[in-house]
Amino acid sequence: MNGFQDYNMMKKIFFARFFALSLTITCTAQQYSKAKIDSMLTTLVNMHDSIPGKVLMKGKTCYTYAEKIDYKEGMIKSALVIGESYLTMGQYDIALEFANKAEKNAVGIKNNELLSEAFRLKGQCYETLSFFDIAFEEFGKALKAAGKMEASNDRFRQEGYIFSDMADCLSQNKKNTDSVKAYYRRSAYAFSKMEDDRIKRRNLSLVNANIGACFIAGKQYDSAAIYIENAVRLAEITQCDKAQLLASFNMGNLELARDNMQEAIVQYNYALAIANKFQRNALMSTMHSNLSKIYDKLGDKEKADYHFQKLISENSIVKQSQKKGLEKPTKELVRNTTQKFQQYSQGALISTISFIVLAVLLLARVVRFYRRAEEERQEINKQKDRLKSKEELLEKAKKIEPVCLENVIRLAQNNDDSFLFQFSVLHFDFYEKITASIPALNLEDQKVCAFLRLGFQIKEIALITNVTVRSVEARIYRIRKKINISFDEG
């Protein structure tokens, strides 16, 4: 009897769990419906100018939902949103990874608009990493895909974006300003053909700001003012943070170029608040640099030093992001190159290449042997020249006065003209290292290196050389960038 009751109990539990599972599956299916995902993506598009972290989290949720129901279009749009967020946050390697995912799926469903967006995102990643030729190639692919879009308004918008990307790429690659302006104007023309709405005005604001920047570079300030003022007006109408950031930044540059220091400070501070919100470290670095120069001219040392320290901090963040983001894209380039090579490889070609590789390796070993022998010979000659130079310096020093640490320090404290020569005798190895191997250092740089080697503090160096502490700090910062070594090394 107990066995029969246990059986009935187990039966009831089984049906209860089966019902709960069916209900869960039904709810999940509703939760992960295409309509729900599309609605979430629409919200994300409207959050385009929001904080990247927020958009990133919601984008990942959309991607998970779309992947569960194999909704390719939703996966592509989510991947693009995630990639753009990572790009804004400076994580270029992850951004490129999601751009590749979007491209692969867009090719599969033959959606030209999404394929064009995927190529755009890849181009922006490569541009940020300074692979300008590859970036321009990706933008060309994006433009080709955009030309196949059926809806004219969407096509004009996409072409406007891509022409603007191409102009940015040329500008970053230090190309002719006229070429950059030409692409920005093509972008403005494409946007002008769109139906009038907030997106059109926002895009025109961004393009006008960039054209104005080109005129600033060419010192055509009146022409620059026309475009930048129009950019500011459109940015205020749309209340778009990104447009307001670029318009204020370039207005600050214009005021700085015209020596309107106070106006430049107002514009830069406004732009800094927006840039900080969106973690635009590279732009913040430029603005802190400009503000440091402005306050230096105005004689406000405290604020000049503050912005100089912020500049160093932002530069450090940018360098870390670029270093971290460079590894995967480089591997991606190598992999793509290998794949292209394999597509054209044939059996006979491989045999020929193998022979060539063996020949090259053999030649390389021979060349390496002779190069090593030549390097050893040159090193011996260098050592001889070094000893000869040292002997000559010692002979000269004996004729002047005895060389000792006390004398060198005394000459340093008096900022005597013969200080550097006496130091070179006392610390010959150190002086030879900074002069022979780093020719970019001038006499003032060498003198600062010598002071630091002797243990002088920055304030003491400033007092001796009759300059400000900040000037000494700035010179040390530039020296460290040139030589990239510690002053404590011998």
Side-chain angles (χ1 to χ4, degrees):
M1 185 71 177
N2 288 337
F4 181 73
Q5 288 177 345
D6 290 343
Y7 171 76
N8 284 335
M9 181 62 69
M10 290 176 64
K11 191 175 179 182
K12 287 179 182 179
I13 293 171
F14 172 77
F15 280 115
R17 288 180 176 175
F18 178 78
F19 176 75
L21 180 62
S22 301
L23 185 63
T24 302
I25 292 171
T26 303
C27 293
T28 303
Q30 291 175 352
Q31 186 181 16
Y32 296 157
S33 67
K34 292 182 180 180
K36 177 71 173 177
I37 293 169
D38 287 338
S39 175
M40 291 175 68
L41 287 167
T42 301
T43 304
L44 285 178
V45 170
N46 293 331
M47 289 173 63
H48 183 272
D49 297 306
S50 185
I51 299 171
K54 282 186 180 179
V55 179
L56 178 61
M57 291 175 62
K58 292 183 180 294
K60 286 185 174 180
T61 303
C62 282
Y63 189 85
T64 303
Y65 288 177
E67 192 173 32
K68 284 182 181 293
I69 62 172
D70 197 30
Y71 178 30
K72 296 295 185 185
E73 187 172 324
M75 289 171 64
I76 298 166
K77 290 179 179 178
S78 302
L80 290 170
V81 168
I82 295 168
E84 288 171 2
S85 298
Y86 276 122
L87 181 63
T88 303
M89 294 165 67
Q91 299 184 41
Y92 316 121
D93 52 338
I94 307 177
L96 189 59
E97 183 181 325
F98 278 94
N100 285 325
K101 286 182 180 180
E103 180 192 349
K104 182 179 178 181
N105 286 319
V107 170
I109 65 173
K110 298 180 180 179
N111 187 313
N112 288 311
E113 181 177 359
L114 295 178
L115 182 60
S116 178
E117 275 296 319
F119 284 134
R120 266 195 73 213
L121 182 56
K122 287 180 70 176
Q124 289 167 350
C125 292
Y126 285 126
E127 179 192 337
T128 310
L129 293 166
S130 301
F131 296 136
F132 299 116
D133 291 339
I134 300 169
F136 210 80
E137 183 181 335
E138 294 296 332
F139 292 141
K141 293 177 185 177
L143 194 61
K144 185 177 179 180
K148 298 176 182 178
M149 292 167 58
E150 295 180 0
S152 59
N153 194 62
D154 292 341
R155 185 173 69 252
F156 292 142
R157 183 191 68 246
Q158 190 68 6
E159 288 176 347
Y161 287 146
I162 298 165
F163 283 130
S164 187
D165 290 334
M166 288 176 158
D168 288 339
C169 188
L170 291 173
S171 178
Q172 291 294 322
N173 200 15
K174 310 297 183 186
K175 295 298 183 182
N176 184 276
T177 308
D178 291 335
S179 301
V180 178
K181 275 191 290 189
Y183 274 99
Y184 277 133
R185 281 175 171 153
R186 291 176 75 178
S187 174
Y189 177 72
F191 286 139
S192 68
K193 294 171 75 174
M194 289 174 58
E195 296 173 4
D196 190 34
D197 61 5
R198 182 177 181 271
I199 294 176
K200 174 181 178 177
R201 290 191 289 272
R202 182 197 69 185
N203 293 337
L204 285 172
S205 173
L206 293 170
V207 173
N208 274 277
N210 283 318
I211 295 174
C214 292
F215 279 114
I216 292 174
K219 297 184 179 181
Q220 297 173 281
Y221 302 135
D222 292 338
S223 298
I226 295 171
Y227 283 97
I228 295 176
E229 286 169 4
N230 194 33
V232 170
R233 180 182 61 81
L234 290 168
E236 288 175 352
I237 293 172
T238 58
Q239 289 297 299
C240 167
D241 285 334
K242 185 177 179 181
Q244 289 178 321
L245 168 59
L246 193 60
S248 297
F249 170 67
N250 282 314
M251 183 61 81
N253 290 342
L254 178 60
E255 297 297 352
L256 177 59
R258 288 174 160 177
D259 288 329
N260 297 332
M261 303 300 180
Q262 295 299 334
E263 285 297 324
I265 290 171
V266 171
Q267 295 295 334
Y268 283 141
N269 283 330
Y270 180 71
L272 269 174
I274 303 174
N276 186 53
K277 176 182 174 183
F278 293 104
Q279 303 172 25
R280 298 290 295 275
N281 300 103
L283 201 58
M284 290 165 66
S285 173
T286 302
M287 286 188 279
H288 282 304
S289 175
N290 291 346
L291 283 168
S292 179
K293 292 174 185 175
I294 290 171
Y295 282 119
D296 200 26
K297 285 184 179 179
L298 295 175
D300 192 334
K301 183 181 180 301
E302 184 178 347
K303 289 184 178 179
D305 287 344
Y306 167 78
H307 286 288
F308 183 73
Q309 293 301 322
K310 295 292 287 183
L311 163 65
I312 295 173
S313 174
E314 296 299 339
N315 279 343
S316 176
I317 294 171
V318 171
K319 286 179 180 177
Q320 288 175 3
S321 298
Q322 288 178 335
K323 184 178 180 180
K324 184 180 177 183
L326 192 60
E327 183 177 353
K328 287 186 180 178
T330 304
K331 290 180 180 178
E332 181 72 18
L333 286 174
V334 172
R335 185 167 63 250
N336 290 341
T337 304
T338 304
Q339 288 172 353
K340 288 179 182 178
F341 173 76
Q342 289 173 348
Q343 290 173 359
Y344 296 103
S345 294
Q346 301 295 330
L349 182 61
I350 292 174
S351 300
T352 305
I353 291 174
S354 299
F355 174 80
I356 293 172
V357 168
L358 287 172
V360 168
L361 288 173
L362 182 60
L363 180 62
R365 288 183 68 86
V366 174
V367 170
R368 191 182 305 155
F369 173 81
Y370 282 107
R371 184 177 293 171
R372 189 178 298 166
E374 179 64 16
E375 286 174 353
E376 289 175 356
R377 186 184 65 79
Q378 290 179 358
E379 184 61 28
I380 291 170
N381 290 336
K382 280 184 181 179
Q383 290 294 337
K384 288 180 179 178
D385 292 338
R386 184 167 171 267
L387 289 171
K388 186 178 178 182
S389 298
K390 190 169 185 178
E391 289 172 358
E392 289 175 356
L393 279 172
L394 288 170
E395 285 300 321
K396 289 180 181 178
K398 287 176 183 177
K399 295 177 182 178
I400 299 172
E401 61 177 313
V403 178
C404 63
L405 182 61
E406 290 78 11
N407 283 339
V408 172
I409 292 175
R410 178 177 54 77
L411 292 172
Q413 290 171 338
N414 296 329
N415 199 19
D416 194 286
D417 291 337
S418 62
F419 155 65
L420 197 58
F421 173 76
Q422 293 282 352
F423 173 85
S424 68
V425 175
L426 186 64
H427 292 280
F428 180 82
D429 291 339
F430 179 83
Y431 184 76
E432 184 188 53
K433 182 176 182 179
I434 64 173
T435 54
S437 58
I438 305 108
L441 297 181
N442 56 38
L443 284 176
E444 290 301 317
D445 293 339
Q446 294 172 20
K447 190 178 288 186
V448 170
C449 291
F451 281 127
L452 292 170
R453 179 70 175 137
L454 291 171
F456 283 78
Q457 300 296 317
I458 292 176
K459 288 183 179 179
E460 293 175 328
I461 298 172
L463 187 63
I464 292 169
T465 56
N466 197 26
V467 296
T468 64
V469 171
R470 185 186 171 281
S471 296
V472 176
E473 289 173 340
R475 181 173 292 279
I476 293 171
Y477 174 73
R478 289 194 296 272
I479 291 171
R480 287 185 182 278
K481 285 183 67 178
K482 289 179 184 177
I483 66 180
N484 196 26
I485 64 170
S486 170
F487 291 117
D488 291 330
E489 289 181 42

